[in-house]
């Protein structure tokens, strides 16, 4: 049994980690930390956990994590870097924030407007998208768990960019997310009466997930890829749908594209191409670690449209972190991730 | 491994049974039947199931269930009675509909305006609320799985009526349900634009769950109890909250009431009294088999208010059916029911 | 044209006042004040107002309201009392908060845990429910605009208590509100991901609208009436539905009750009894000043159930304030309130 | 006063026409027809209308419309063509369906898979987007009221295509709609539990609004424009947001684009460019006839992104129809359309 600590256990990714790890057969939840609730029992913050788990919360002092094998960081960006430096070197780290995702510290500093983590830690970090980086994740000390939008988008576009089926070096990504992606922190933009029965775009062309998407797509494509990334807010709690647009190279049609995608993900449990004509819906993955997708070729305009969905808090955060945890500790990759979606 | 068949597998209680049983370590899903989709694969109706299960559906001809140990009926009322007669006697039946819930066939006929099942089958049936009927369920052939409103309401009121803490023989139950309780059948009352951003009462004083509630509360109280039952429709998919009102007998106060409730359910895993002052929320049980509740004494008026919540499709339907299945086959009662709620 | 100022113009009742008054043929919006946004244009807070109105906001210094005929206060409780003292005596005041609603200052202090307004101002105040207090409102200087729950509840119960059709002196009120009733102030209880797909009760037996309801119902009944008041939160933005329970006196039945209700409100434009069997839905009054209601007699238990709906921000706040404004200034009572509900 | 009839008065566009016309100072609602509810009073279908209007419904026999000046057709496509032939020639027609929108009957037949209206009627028809076609609408007999997606999209893209600021002949339109756009007809895709907490794309590359968008954009551009049109379904009742992507020509930047847009719509009441950096939200136009929009230039990729919002049932249907009605009968264009949005 791997002894686990969660730093930032009361945010939405934190409580989702708790949900998944509480039932994980190879992990025991030993330490939960929280800035705001030190000394309180977890069920005082989340009464629904009363029957399930009731640890008392501590702060993020490294001493509190002695004897822990694996730490999950579920923190706002900018905090993880200095925290990881202080943790004993034998503790493995999965960071669900942004600090270790960008290999180039200058790019981090440009988009996040603050200092990147030290080079020493940054070099220990691997971008934790298992379907593309499985081998590197295996032996890593620090796993940089991908963002929610990047997970849906990179998985959707990777086969297209690996294959040469797209012409041009720039893509359009029109993405839509449920509100839980904005976290548990209070803000007018997450206030019920402002969000409910409302739909909007935000941070168009300047969302911080942009460089992460470009970094990974460029890596897959073997050339520099740029994206126009337009996030939108959907009046629902969970779910991300990413609609991606590219121009199809000559010689490709929907059948060939489908075959390539099918083959590309044939061994992946958590990524599924749907049958032709069945477009994915966010609810079909709610609460699960799956990414469902489909492709459409618009023959009138020569464009390829790829639509992919995930649960932003599972495959887009805590579930993918558990998948990485399984890779780090040698468990089958779907351990603790077998739940089916609730329909309806 | 118990071989399981589901009759009516494509309705909302059917697909929820599939979700729970697909991961049950002591059950194998062998046969799924559906009136509307005979010959289709399950994933043609529910594409989200593609990675999980892909049986071809059959009709409800008894021959299709040869070799099956346990059948779940997830059907509209009025159909189960005649179906059960035709099933081989060695097959155990859990009926999620209303046909076997009322012991008195005249009461069934009055409220449902059609013939009750034959006396022979009716006598084999037990009202399947495990917390109150565990012993009887153990050896039953037919388990009449309780309705969603009755589950929340009876669990909430049973301690109050068992104890003598209430005066009078009539109670008020103001209950609220998510829309999935109305099923997958198309109706204007379940049409998104009619329900969303809307709240209403319906069938006040004449909902068919009324006699079921009165039957079980009278049984617990040892005297004839009537209820005014007012259901309301909440613009959400899952969840029931039942607010029950009675007049407190002299000598009782909130502390004593709490102690009694705590003691009454002390050995129950799935029923939990929350700490004083913490009122239950439907989301805290979403996707789980739990019933959370709390009590409030309004000293200004001498009333006891009991508030209880369940997920109408789990503890109010498919989860309770699995709990009954576990009782019937000797599995620990929480087998296959260990999932935690998704928060948020 | 009456010159109007709104103090607290950026909260939800403030912006709803702006919506209604901007189109009122007998009012001109002259001054908008706001604690948080002094010096900003209204459209900087509410961009949707850009095409409609663009006043710059001021603070609530009385000098800012010189020359104003009518001030609306849309403030948290506890602020209005001292503010009104400082306003020139010739300015009429409609207070949408709670400070002037309770005639008995001790009751105010008990429920609101702070000092009541001075006796001088309190004596100038009239409880502004036009259907019951029309004559008194006419010449008042201060109108205490009723709370949202009280408006729906008192209108629903007034005929029953005026008639003697109920026995006993205590009633049960199970009320349900959309989230906008909690205002624009940030709180976890109004955070989208906490409220959406969730239903809960809150402040059962101790909500501050209780004494206001009891005061007015006692006045109508001519005897002391107590209520058990249980508010619930519905995952929608607007709307209140109040379900009220009483015991029917002998000699009354549904037909007689209906006739009495019909007669009681026969001259009222904004209060309507629906046809028998048609229960009101909150959406049917969305955006309008109407209160729709119906009555059900549960003959099995001898109870009368009254169900009434309003839009909490219109008839429950800003619309009723405009109705009172019309009374104060001699306009037809429905001036500026003719809009029909948006369906769907 | 213009005498008005509505054919198809009980669908969602029908009831929205009733809402708007019931308060229109220059129109009287004389005849409401409905296939499904002939002989019923309107309030039997829509009880919320009881205080407002209570006509008895007739069928669409042309005799029922004698003496009527203006007929609105709110029907499924394929019905209007033959109906209009039978109506007396002196009756003006505004068709809210698709039958008269495409000038080229072969295109209609290709996309709608049925016969186009007769050439005689088709020639009398004008595409009723007032901001672009005001002069032609003035004297028309038949106004083809634009679709909801096309209204938002064409208004958003018209300045870009009129100016030459875009290179290339093909655009991407990623559009999102509330559920009321699918109408009142029952369908699994509009069933509450299927739509709520869910987001999906549908009919990508083959939605029937595509040719209408291309026809009008080509007309504005003076060259053949194609679009990839991807509609999505948002779990809310009302609202459309259209996100449009094009490649910016050299010499253009965000400032120049903004100036052009500002100038293009400077005289339009119902179309508003928001201040820089303020992206439109669907709720800001709810219940109103406004189209709000903004532009973003993504300098990293050279793309222009245009985001526009409307209420699909108002500017996208009934409100625009009233705007056209005002043009036809010489009323100021905003008559009956002065309502402000409900916020929140």
């Amino acid at each position: 049994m791997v002894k686990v600590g969660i730093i930032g256990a009361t945010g939405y990714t934190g409580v989702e980690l708790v949900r998944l790890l509480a039932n994980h057969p190879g992990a025991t939840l030993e330490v939960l930390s929280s800035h705001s609730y030190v000394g309180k029992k977890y069920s005082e913050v989340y009464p629904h956990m009363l029957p399930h788990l009731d640890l008392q919360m501590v702060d993020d002092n490294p001493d509190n994590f002695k004897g822990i094998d694996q730490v999950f960081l579920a923190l706002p960006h900018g905090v993880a870097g200095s925290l990881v430096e202080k943790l004993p070197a034998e503790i493995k780290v999965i960071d669900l924030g942004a600090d270790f995702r960008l290999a180039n510290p200058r790019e981090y500093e440009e988009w996040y407007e603050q200092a990147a983590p030290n080079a020493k830690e940054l070099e220990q970090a691997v971008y934790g998208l298992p379907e593309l980086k499985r081998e590197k994740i295996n032996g890593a000390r620090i796993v940089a768990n991908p963002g929610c939008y990047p997970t849906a988008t990179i998985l959707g576009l990777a086969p297209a960019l690996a294959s040469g089926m797209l012409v041009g070096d720039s893509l359009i990504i029109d993405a839509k997310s449920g509100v839980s992606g904005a976290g548990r922190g209070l803000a007018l933009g997450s206030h019920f009466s402002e969000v409910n029965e409302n739909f909007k775009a935000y941070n168009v062309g300047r969302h911080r997930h942009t460089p992460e998407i470009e970094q990974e797509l460029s890596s897959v494509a073997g050339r520099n890829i740029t994206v126009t990334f337009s996030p939108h807010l959907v009046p629902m709690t969970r779910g991300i749908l990413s609609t991606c647009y590219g121009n199809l190279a000559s010689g490709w049609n929907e059948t060939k594209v489908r075959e390539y995608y099918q083959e590309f993900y044939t061994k992946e449990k958590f990524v599924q191409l749907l049958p032709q004509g069945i477009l994915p819906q966010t609810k079909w993955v709610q609460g699960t670690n799956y990414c469902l997708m489909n492709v459409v070729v618009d023959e009138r305009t020569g464009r390829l449209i790829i639509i992919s969905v995930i649960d932003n808090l599972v495959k887009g955060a805590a579930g993918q972190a558990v998948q990485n945890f399984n890779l780090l500790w040698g468990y089958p990759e779907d351990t603790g991730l077998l739940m089916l979606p609730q329909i309806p």
Side-chain angles (χ1 to χ4, degrees), chain A:
Chain A
M1 296 292 277
V2 181
K3 289 179 182 170
V4 166
I6 300 174
I7 299 182
T10 57
Y12 286 155
T13 48
V15 68
E16 187 70 350
L17 279 168
V18 170
R19 174 173 83 97
L20 297 174
L21 291 168
N23 274 346
H24 193 289
T28 55
L29 279 171
E30 299 277 337
V31 183
L32 302 182
S33 92
S34 158
H35 265 281
S36 321
Y37 301 103
V38 175
K40 290 212 169 181
K41 288 190 166 186
Y42 202 63
S43 70
E44 291 181 77
V45 181
Y46 285 116
H48 76 279
M49 290 298 295
L50 195 62
H52 305 289
L53 167 139
D54 217 7
L55 289 170
Q56 194 176 32
M57 281 175 287
V58 299
D59 64 22
D60 59 13
N61 188 317
D63 293 348
N64 290 324
F65 297 86
K66 275 186 190 153
I68 293 299
D69 304 308
Q70 173 75 55
V71 158
F72 292 86
L73 302 180
L75 298 167
H77 64 259
V79 188
S82 53
L83 236 164
V84 169
E85 289 174 37
K86 295 175 205 147
L87 287 175
E90 65 273 17
I91 297 186
K92 289 175 187 267
V93 173
I94 297 174
D95 178 22
L96 285 83
D99 290 5
F100 292 98
R101 291 179 194 155
L102 298 180
N104 182 341
R106 277 183 304 280
E107 206 159 7
Y108 180 87
E109 283 154 21
E110 183 191 328
W111 285 85
Y112 289 88
E113 296 170 328
Q114 58 188 23
N118 281 341
K120 187 188 144 206
E121 275 77 27
L122 210 48
E123 280 160 18
Q124 296 178 321
V126 173
Y127 191 78
L129 191 57
E131 286 76 11
L132 299 182
K133 302 282 176 101
R134 193 166 280 122
E135 285 73 32
K136 289 194 179 167
I137 295 164
N138 257 319
R141 185 195 162 212
I142 303 174
V143 176
N145 213 58
C148 47
Y149 284 124
T151 296
T153 302
I154 298 164
L155 289 175
L157 283 168
L161 288 167
S163 65
M165 68 176 72
L166 295 182
V167 294
D169 300 328
S170 189
L171 302 167
I172 289 172
I173 298 160
D174 192 292
K176 299 89 177 173
S177 174
V179 184
S180 64
R184 195 171 180 251
L186 300 183
L188 199 58
S190 303
H191 198 58
F192 182 85
S193 300
E194 305 281 322
V195 173
N196 181 43
E197 277 293 287
N198 198 3
F199 187 85
K200 67 172 181 183
Y202 66 101
N203 288 354
V204 171
R206 54 192 185 80
H207 192 282
R208 283 167 168 159
H209 284 171
T210 309
E212 185 182 335
I213 295 170
E214 291 183 343
Q215 167 183 287
E216 297 303 314
L217 293 184
S218 299
S219 162
V220 172
R223 68 186 196 278
N224 213 34
I225 299 292
T226 62
V227 300
T228 292
F229 177 54
S230 305
H232 299 73
L233 191 69
V234 185
M236 63 182 186
T237 302
R238 288 181 178 231
I240 278 184
L241 183 145
S242 187
T243 314
C244 304
Y245 299 89
N247 293 309
L248 206 57
S250 68
W252 288 86
N253 57 29
E254 196 166 303
T255 305
K256 280 191 66 176
V257 171
R258 292 188 58 77
E259 285 170 2
Y260 191 93
Y261 266 75
Q262 192 67 57
E263 176 63 22
F264 192 90
Y265 287 126
T266 190
K267 292 184 184 160
E268 294 301 334
K269 167 151 195 176
F270 290 123
V271 182
Q272 301 271 339
L273 183 72
L274 288 169
Q276 189 175 22
I278 308 291
L279 299 184
Q281 309 189 6
T282 60
K283 189 141 198 175
W284 293 351
V285 295
Q286 196 189 338
T288 79
N289 201 48
Y290 281 82
C291 175
L292 301 182
M293 63 180 63
N294 215 335
V295 296
V296 177
V297 171
D298 183 13
E299 296 187 358
R300 300 170 60 261
T301 61
R303 288 198 184 89
L304 171 63
I305 303 122
I306 301 138
I307 301 168
S308 56
V309 298
I310 59 168
D311 182 320
N312 57 303
L313 292 176
V314 190
K315 184 63 176 168
Q320 187 143 269
V322 170
Q323 192 180 355
N324 282 320
F325 170 86
N326 291 335
L327 280 171
L328 289 178
W329 296 95
Y331 294 116
E333 209 165 311
D334 61 2
T335 309
L337 296 171
L338 297 169
M339 58 281 178
L340 280 70
Q342 290 171 29
I343 300 287

